[in-house]
């Protein structure tokens, strides 16, 4: 067992451990944005670690470029899909507003957003009302 | 290399995949399921790569590329679909979101009736 095998093994096990942490975070975290935070750890770092381990292990084979291509594709596509999912989550109000410290797309109301309100320590109900993004469609009352 | 490392790797990946599948089954909203599907496909890709690396078998690497691209296409198309529902029917979409929150009592805000 050479030094390269040891390095490849460490990379593979670290990447697989990140997949386990994604599962734990998906189970434990409260809303969509928190779960995305947990689930995107193996999407970039985990895949890159596993691909690094596989490239070290398979060095010299003619098909190694495909592993590099998978890593590059993950780097390109993970931000795009995460951006779209989180944007839709904000507009569909799947975000727990009481857990947000700063809501830059909401109302520009509270001058001290991180300090708890003296009468409503759980969150000021006037400030904490869900607000859509700036380009949300106007709501029609039917 | 070919005894301990695949055992540890596949055990970690298997436990992670079971937890992700639990979120995929429980997930209160469609977006939770999209995020869980993304994570599950990444886990599958990691498993295929670990298999290729440990047993030095390169016959599965095109599958790896297909899985990595399929994750992107799937999550983006479902997100576009939900966004289209939001734009076309503004008011029922809000009621759907409220129904999602009502089915999940820990997501409801404290203090609201």
């Amino acid at each position: 067992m050479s030094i390269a095998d040891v390095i490849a093994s460490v990379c593979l096990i670290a990447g697989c451990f990140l997949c386990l942490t994604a599962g734990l975070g998906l189970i434990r975290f409260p809303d969509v944005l928190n779960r995305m935070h947990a689930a995107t750890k193996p999407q970039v770092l985990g895949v890159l670690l596993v691909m690094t381990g596989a490239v070290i292990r398979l060095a010299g084979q003619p098909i190694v470029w495909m592993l590099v291509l998978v890593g590059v594709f993950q780097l390109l596509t993970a931000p795009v899909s995460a951006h779209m999912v989180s944007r839709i989550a904000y507009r569909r109000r799947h975000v727990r507003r009481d857990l947000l410290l700063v809501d830059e797309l909401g109302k520009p109301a509270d001058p001290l957003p991180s300090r708890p309100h003296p009468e409503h320590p759980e969150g000021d109900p006037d400030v904490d009302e869900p607000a859509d993004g700036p380009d949300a469609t106007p709501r029609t009352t039917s | 290399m070919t005894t301990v490392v695949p055992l540890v790797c596949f055990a970690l990946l298997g436990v992670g995949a079971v937890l992700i599948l639990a979120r995929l089954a429980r997930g209160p909203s469609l977006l939770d399921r999209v995020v869980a599907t993304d994570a599950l496909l990444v886990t599958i890709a990691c498993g295929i790569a670990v298999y290729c690396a440990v047993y030095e078998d390169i016959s599965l690497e095109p599958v790896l590329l297909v899985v990595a691209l399929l994750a992107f296409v799937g999550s983006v198309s479902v997100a576009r679909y939900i966004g289209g529902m939001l734009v076309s029917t503004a008011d029922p979409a809000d009621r759907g979101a409220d129904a999602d929150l009502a089915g999940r009592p820990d997501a409801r805000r404290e203090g609201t009736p």
Side-chain angles (χ1 to χ4, degrees), chain A residues 1 18 37 64 72 86 91 93 97 101 115 119 123 127 131 134:
Chain A
M1 193 164 178
L18 280 174
H37 161 72
V64 169
V72 171
S86 60
R91 290 186 184 168
R93 304 179 183 179
R97 316 258 167 182
L101 288 182
R115 178 177 298 176
E119 296 177 2
V127 177

Side-chain angles (χ1 to χ4, degrees), chain A residues 21-23 25-26 34-44, chain B residues 35-36 38-39 42:
Chain A
T21 60
L26 278 174
N34 285 320
R35 285 171 192 150
M36 279 178 54
H37 161 72
T40 46
K41 293 299 166 289
Q43 262 187 355
V44 177
Chain B
V35 174
D38 245 350
V42 167

Side-chain angles (χ1 to χ4, degrees), chain B residues 17-29:
Chain B
V18 166
L19 293 175
I20 292 168
L21 275 176
R23 174 53 65 195
L24 190 62
R26 279 179 53 196
S29 71

